Amino acid sequence: MFGPISFRRILLSRILLLSVPVLLIGQFLTYRQVRLSLLAATHDSLVQSAQRKGDDLSRFLTTLRLSASVAREASAVTTGNFAGSEVFFNRLIQQLPDSVECIWLESIADGQVVANTCEMIDASVPTYEKEANSPTSDRPEAAIEIQTFFAPMGEAMRSGVADRPGANPITQTIESKAEQATYFLLNAPVTPQNGTAPRYVLRLTAQLPPEHRNNDDTASLNLLSDATLIADAADTILSYPIAGYVGHHLNELPGYDRLVQLTEESSAEFAQRAILSSSVFNLDNQTRQAIIGHVRIPDPTLSPNDRDPSNASNPEWVVMAVADLEFALNNLAGVCGVMFNLVLLLLAANLVATLFLTRDLARPIERLGRYARNIECNVTPEALPARFAIEEFNQLAAVMNASIERLKSWANELSAAWQNARQANQLKNEFLTTISHELRTPLNGIIGSLRLVRDGFCEDREEELDFLHRADDSALHLLTIIDDILDISKIEAGTVTMVPELIDLRKVVLEAVELQQHEVDTKALELNLSLGESNVMVYADPSKLRRVLVNIVGNAVKFTEVGQISVSIQVRPSTLRPSLPSSTDEQIKQSALYAAIEVQDTGIGIDPRVHGKLFEPFVMVDGTTTRKFGGTGLGLAISRNLLEMMDGQIAIDSLGLNRGTTVTIEIPLSKTNVHEPALASSAPRHETASESDS
Ligand code: ADP
């Protein structure tokens, strides 16, 4: 079931397994980076927005303070002309921002309102704490004080001035989460022109400017596009994006801990934040998350004179610009859409590229595999075409082709060697048969002859001598055979030694021919000798040369029943030496003169197909045909080896069966008679055996 998988499938699965996750991880990281960038950009703009809001708020309260300061110095106020004051206040309020709701002048002594721009003063407006806040200094430096208080939205002016002792806006708790609005109450003590201590207090109520209030509109709340969160120095919420939290302490917020953490870290720290979820906090108890940018501003209700620049713990307000996380990441949806399409596109492209790649890579391998299988199944394939698209595969195909060719040639060589070995074995068997026959024949002759003589079967002494003579001949023949075997083994062992000397070739040839004379006469063959008239001097071992010539002439006589045998000597350049590449040395060698002895017969001839093998030991052309002539098949092998040791050559040639044989022997001519060109050019003179004998 889990057998080997094809290369194509492995390649495809591996590439896809690797590339698809990498692609998806890459996309995820890109998404994460885009999200982080969007959040960081939103955060930066929120910080700027918070800074602007803080500045606006400080400016607003400074304006109120300045206006109150100017108003209390107005002559209508200081002279106690209360009707004039009211007119002045009405004019002033028109110049002030819309969020300023009411200006009135109140007697410090009894709290009676002496001039007023509004009909009613909200009951929630706190009582002016005259003991605590009454200035002790001389006019006009009496301090202007700003208080913060909360009242239900739009109700600040509903009732008249009410004396509500102990109603401290900062510390009062708000039981219900009914919507509250943040108000500022400004108290500017007024010292009459001739007075030394303040007798009135100019009071002014203003709602938190609209840009710092959060719209109650549900849609904009959902968007939270840059809403405001303001907390004063005591962490009381003055403005919050969601209704119902104004006037509460920050720690009542659901995401308080997170908010504290965020307001304590710097902007740079925020930017470095890798975990995006930690840059947001929960606005309410639900899943609604917001991202904030915050600044800390000096408490704007305190005048700059009240602050101590050297004191680091001056009271501070926190102003935050808040945006809905969803809104901040609004653009991410579009980016995600593009990325999703991109991923699909990349996956498709990756798949197509992988398919093409696996096809290109797998095809050559599949083809090489098929090719190898065909070879294994002995289906002799054509040479593998090296036309793949990939260069390395072309090289591989070329190498495979070359290897297969080499293997084929080795296989052929092996097969030939095996054939040769078989043939050699067969030859050895034939040789053993032949040699035992060859040994038995003379041995039987010797035994038979000797027994006849020993047992007295001979009629007379002459017959006895005849048998003894035959026994002697047979013994000599036996000796020759044994000598042959010894010689070939010596030659093969490399222990034959040459004793070369300057000899006349004609003399040696004549000796060899004479040894065969008896046989020639017996067969009534015609013997033609053409040995020339002058000496043919060669530098050779005479006994070894004689041995060769006896074997060659002996073969000619042995294998010829009728006809003639011609033996000739010529002096000429070699015709048997293989032609070598031209070089000066070789040319000299080629042009050197040789004594060429040619022994030609009209005997049984040789099948041209076996010419080359005859010089191998134990080879006889055909056991059945040649055995009747006797012999061991060693003569030609011994002759060639001996001649090569004397720098000579031998060749055997025949036109075919029963068409005679010519054996040619070449021996380098000794330098002593190289100068006898007459011999080389002279026409061979045919002479009969009788002539040479004479
Ligand atoms: P052998 O002792 O058998 O003559 P050789 O080596 O001299 O051994 O010869 C090998 C074989 O070559 C012979 O058996 C014979 O078949 C063939 N041969 C050699 N000389 C001749 C020739 N003159 N005519 C025909 N066959 C020859």
Side-chain angles (χ1 to χ4, degrees), residues 502-515 529-540 542 545-546 549 553 567-571 595-598 667 669 673 676 679-680 682 684-685 687 691-694:
L502 199 61
I503 48 168
D504 181 7
L505 186 63
R506 296 173 54 202
K507 207 174 144 199
V508 184
V509 171
L510 274 176
E511 282 170 9
V513 170
E514 272 167 14
L515 282 175
L529 293 179
S530 176
L531 306 182
E533 288 171 354
S534 24
N535 294 344
V536 181
M537 302 306 290
V538 293
Y539 196 67
L545 189 55
R546 190 177 306 114
L549 290 170
V553 178
V567 181
S568 66
I569 297 179
Q570 284 186 19
V571 174
I597 309 145
E598 219 168 66
I667 301 176
L669 204 61
N673 57 7
E676 294 179 18
L679 189 63
S682 66
R685 193 175 72 87
E687 51 186 9
E691 279 172 342
S692 77
D693 284 343
S694 66

Side-chain angles (χ1 to χ4, degrees), residues 72 76-77 80 82 85 89 103-107 112-116 188 190 200-203:
R72 73 172 171 183
V77 177
F82 299 121
S85 298
F89 289 162
I103 304 174
W104 72 98
L105 197 63
E106 196 176 304
S107 158
Q112 196 184 350
V113 176
V114 291
N116 192 5
V190 180
Y200 301 97
V201 58
L202 185 148
R203 306 186 79 183

Side-chain angles (χ1 to χ4, degrees), residues 91-111:
R91 279 197 199 128
L92 179 65
I93 203 163
Q94 281 165 10
Q95 307 299 317
L96 289 172
D98 287 346
S99 53
V100 177
E101 292 184 350
C102 193
I103 304 174
W104 72 98
L105 197 63
E106 196 176 304
S107 158
I108 290 177
D110 52 12

Side-chain angles (χ1 to χ4, degrees), residues 389-403:
I390 300 167
E391 179 56 26
E392 283 75 8
F393 283 117
N394 287 337
Q395 288 167 0
L396 189 65
V399 169
M400 266 182 90
N401 281 335
S403 308

Side-chain angles (χ1 to χ4, degrees), residues 124-435:
S124 64
V125 172
T127 307
Y128 178 60
E129 301 285 338
K130 56 182 183 255
E131 290 84 11
N133 298 308
S134 59
T136 50
S137 56
D138 292 340
R139 65 175 300 274
E141 279 85 17
I144 297 174
E145 173 204 63
I146 300 177
Q147 293 174 322
T148 314
F149 71 99
F150 305 100
M153 196 73 154
E155 289 183 6
M157 308 316 302
R158 219 178 299 147
S159 56
V161 177
D163 190 359
R164 295 201 307 146
N168 187 339
I170 308 299
T171 54
Q172 73 184 348
T173 54
I174 296 171
E175 286 84 19
S176 74
K177 288 210 170 183
E179 196 182 336
Q180 299 283 321
T182 304
Y183 289 90
F184 295 107
L185 171 65
L186 190 139
N187 298 311
V190 180
T191 308
Q193 268 178 357
N194 302 326
T196 54
R199 285 181 51 199
Y200 301 97
V201 58
L202 185 148
R203 306 186 79 183
L204 180 153
T205 56
Q207 206 184 338
L208 191 69
E211 62 268 28
H212 300 304
R213 295 197 294 263
N214 293 300
N215 199 336
D216 197 21
D217 179 58
T218 319
S220 59
L221 268 180
N222 281 341
L223 279 176
L224 278 180
S225 53
D226 200 359
T228 315
L229 191 160
I230 302 171
D232 67 10
D235 282 354
T236 307
I237 299 170
L238 306 185
S239 174
Y240 193 73
I242 296 176
Y245 284 97
V246 170
H248 290 253
H249 194 273
L250 271 182
N251 61 15
E252 291 176 55
L253 290 176
Y256 173 69
D257 294 338
R258 180 81 203 101
L259 194 67
V260 170
Q261 198 183 342
L262 288 176
T263 51
E264 278 168 4
E265 74 187 10
S266 69
S267 199
E269 280 167 342
F270 177 89
Q272 283 167 5
R273 232 165 232 291
I275 305 160
L276 302 185
S277 58
S278 64
S279 62
V280 296
F281 79 108
N282 269 328
L283 273 180
D284 51 19
N285 275 329
Q286 280 104 51
T287 53
R288 193 160 175 194
Q289 291 191 307
I291 176 164
I292 61 162
H294 79 281
V295 289
R296 289 182 176 278
I297 57 168
D299 186 347
T301 59
L302 298 177
S303 75
N305 301 336
D306 297 335
R307 292 186 208 122
D308 179 4
S310 60
N311 186 1
S313 61
N314 276 322
E316 280 181 331
W317 286 18
V318 178
V319 179
M320 302 183 197
V322 183
D324 195 319
L325 187 65
E326 251 178 61
F327 177 70
L329 297 177
N330 211 11
N331 291 337
L332 199 59
V335 175
C336 278
V338 172
M339 276 171 63
F340 181 73
N341 290 336
L342 197 69
V343 167
L344 286 185
L345 218 76
L346 281 174
L347 281 176
N350 183 37
L351 189 70
V352 172
T354 307
L355 282 173
F356 274 107
L357 185 71
T358 45
R359 194 199 59 173
D360 283 354
L361 284 177
R363 252 195 199 167
I365 289 188
E366 286 163 359
R367 226 161 131 190
L368 290 173
R370 267 201 305 277
Y371 185 71
R373 268 199 305 280
N374 284 345
I375 291 174
E376 197 191 51
C377 300
N378 277 338
V379 181
T380 318
E382 301 287 306
L384 189 62
R387 286 199 314 271
F388 301 111
I390 300 167
E391 179 56 26
E392 283 75 8
F393 283 117
N394 287 337
Q395 288 167 0
L396 189 65
V399 169
M400 266 182 90
N401 281 335
S403 308
I404 286 163
E405 284 308 314
R406 217 170 22 244
L407 281 174
K408 275 185 191 165
S409 83
W410 285 345
N412 290 340
E413 279 172 25
L414 267 178
S415 153
W418 190 72
Q419 290 288 349
N420 284 343
R422 270 181 62 178
Q423 214 169 5
N425 195 37
Q426 200 181 336
L427 283 175
K428 185 200 75 185
N429 291 338
E430 274 179 23
F431 169 75
L432 287 176
T433 315
T434 313
I435 209 75

